[in-house]
Amino acid sequence: MTQTIDHVALLPAYLAAGTAVLVLLTDLLVGRRGPTLAVAMIGAAGTAVGAVLVGRGADRETFCTVDGCSWLATSRGALVATVFAVLTLGVLLLSGPLLRAGAVPAGEYCFLLACSMTGGVVLGAAGDLITLIVALETLTIPLYILVGLRRRTVASAEAAMTFFLVSVVATAVTLLGAALLYAVRGTLHLATLAAAPALDAGAEARLGRVAVVLLLAGLAFKVAAVPLHAWAPATYDGAPLPVAAYLSTASKLGGVVAVIAVVVDGLGPWLAVSGPALAVLAVLTMTVGNLVALRQTRMVRLLAWSSVAQAGYILAPLGAAAAIAGRDADALSVAVAATVAYAVFFVVLELAAFASVVALRPPDADGGEIAAYRGAGRRHPVVAAAFVLALVGLAGLPPGLAGLFAKVVVVRSLLDGGAGWLAVVVALNAVVGLAYYLRVCGTLYAAGEAAGTARRVPWTVGLALAGATAVAVVVGFAPQTVLDAVQL
């Protein structure tokens, strides 16, 4: 069968993949750090622009068969591609000091980031489980190498090995779930799966429920949801700081997009199974993440456990499907919008937090102890103010309006879906989270000053920090624009 390929729909993927190729060629032919990094940043910015242009037009489809289409260029997919490209650009800016210090090879580093960005761009447009899983692995596999790319650092190698081993198992579980689902339905296209009638009894129904549980278990790893979360703190702490920032933002966003695509777009007939499972995951994730974060003494580990807790808040709206009212089409639409909006708000604030850490640390250093940031607010008042804004935003307090609005959106979606008990759990966990966020804020302005904090902030890091903070402020004052962009 001859197909007509819509190249306009594929434009963001072309730009992302082309960026990876150009970075590789630039490093091969020029062999200098500056041009290689510049090509990567221009390519990431071009990918974001291309995704915006495609998203402004009508929805497009390509690679279609009688069962459905494998590529869906929608406004939500364009938003996902844009966020991935912008996050990649931000991480590249944060990576300037690391590359100048020679801690990692510039060509390989930029190439791997561009490859990971390509996976994220494709993920947002995936219309079947095969495309989705391949995109998710394209996003993840370069990160194994990036985590361990820091030379002569044992912690980096250990973190990469931990990440790799756990990820391989999670991928195998996801593929097994997809295979079982294909055995039950005979298709992997999300639209066809969603349109199929529900199976209430019999061997096929039981096999379908097992497939759903396996898919959710595999994807829970990508968002670092409890109990598949243990890899995150060690991996974040062992990775170079910009890579940890990418893991905490882009990698988590990829997992969220995959969960939404599978649970809502493809497994609607099995919401009676996936809804309660997601509610339990959300409660465990936010509770364990917040409680363990209270005991952390290292900055990146605290941000890692905070990221685990935030994953619980992100999954909570989808957990509203545990209640019958939450499976209504309107309630489900509100839940999806709340999940994607919270994820967008989170990644912006998290990037600002990591940019602040990079600005306050030496180029090739790790995140260090929280005590090492004591008094940094007086030596670097602007950076500290941005850090505090990011932390209070993650906590859901004003003046971090983006984080505050995100918490309100989640709670409102849970109440609309008839899951008031889950809204109460979210509110209680938000109160617990205040303790460690405010502890870090207090440390920044505490009396005394740790050695090593007095240093000039590189302009690339300052630009990334200013950009992330500006976006957080803008979306905080105009949050409805994000919600409008993610509506089903």
Side-chain angles (χ1 to χ4, degrees), residues 34-188:
T36 302
L37 183 59
V39 168
M41 289 192 292
I42 292 171
T47 302
V49 172
V52 170
L53 293 176
V54 173
R56 290 174 63 88
D59 291 353
R60 294 173 174 269
E61 301 173 341
T62 192
F63 299 129
C64 298
T65 67
V66 292
D67 287 336
C69 296
S70 296
W71 187 277
L72 307 173
T74 63
S75 58
R76 198 171 76 198
L79 175 65
V80 171
T82 303
V83 173
F84 269 109
V86 171
L87 286 174
T88 304
L89 178 59
V91 170
L92 286 167
L93 288 170
L94 292 181
S95 304
L98 184 71
L99 298 179
R100 281 194 296 272
V104 296
E108 291 87 339
Y109 184 89
C110 295
F111 169 72
L112 290 168
L113 270 180
C115 289
S116 185
M117 176 182 68
T118 303
V121 169
V122 174
L123 182 62
D128 63 68
L129 284 178
I130 295 299
T131 304
L132 185 141
I133 293 173
V134 170
L136 201 55
E137 291 308 301
T138 304
L139 168 66
T140 305
I141 288 174
L143 298 179
Y144 306 152
I145 308 171
L146 284 169
V147 169
L149 200 58
R150 195 163 46 177
R151 297 164 178 164
R152 297 181 295 277
T153 305
V154 175
S156 185
E158 291 176 347
M161 185 57 65
T162 300
F163 186 26
F164 171 74
L165 292 176
V166 179
S167 182
V168 166
V169 174
T171 301
V173 171
T174 304
L175 288 171
L176 178 58
L180 293 178
L181 196 61
Y182 181 78
V184 173
R185 292 301 197 188
T187 183
L188 291 175

Side-chain angles (χ1 to χ4, degrees), residues 97-351:
L98 184 71
L99 298 179
R100 281 194 296 272
V104 296
E108 291 87 339
Y109 184 89
C110 295
F111 169 72
L112 290 168
L113 270 180
C115 289
S116 185
M117 176 182 68
T118 303
V121 169
V122 174
L123 182 62
D128 63 68
L129 284 178
I130 295 299
T131 304
L132 185 141
I133 293 173
V134 170
L136 201 55
E137 291 308 301
T138 304
L139 168 66
T140 305
I141 288 174
L143 298 179
Y144 306 152
I145 308 171
L146 284 169
V147 169
L149 200 58
R150 195 163 46 177
R151 297 164 178 164
R152 297 181 295 277
T153 305
V154 175
S156 185
E158 291 176 347
M161 185 57 65
T162 300
F163 186 26
F164 171 74
L165 292 176
V166 179
S167 182
V168 166
V169 174
T171 301
V173 171
T174 304
L175 288 171
L176 178 58
L180 293 178
L181 196 61
Y182 181 78
V184 173
R185 292 301 197 188
T187 183
L188 291 175
H189 283 89
L190 298 174
T192 308
L193 288 171
L199 299 173
D200 298 323
E204 287 188 346
R206 291 192 293 272
L207 190 61
R209 286 193 286 270
V210 172
V212 172
V213 171
L214 289 175
L215 277 171
L216 287 179
L219 296 177
F221 161 83
K222 304 298 182 182
V223 295
V226 174
L228 298 171
H229 67 290
W231 64 273
T235 301
Y236 289 17
D237 202 23
L241 281 175
V243 177
Y246 193 82
L247 277 168
S248 186
T249 55
S251 179
K252 190 175 293 292
L253 178 63
V256 171
V257 172
V259 168
I260 292 174
V262 168
V263 173
V264 179
D265 297 341
L267 302 183
W270 276 288
L271 282 174
V273 177
S274 59
L278 286 169
V280 171
L281 280 176
V283 171
L284 289 175
T285 302
M286 69 178 77
T287 304
V288 172
N290 279 320
L291 292 179
V292 180
L294 291 171
R295 299 174 54 86
Q296 299 307 305
T297 59
R298 291 183 60 80
M299 182 62 77
V300 171
R301 282 186 175 267
L302 182 140
L303 290 175
W305 283 106
S306 160
S307 176
V308 170
Q310 297 289 339
Y313 301 138
I314 292 172
L315 293 176
L318 299 179
I324 295 177
R327 298 169 207 162
D328 177 76
D330 291 336
L332 200 58
S333 176
V334 171
V336 172
T339 297
V340 179
Y342 193 101
V344 172
F345 291 138
F346 162 73
V347 298
V348 172
L349 293 167
E350 187 81 348
L351 183 64

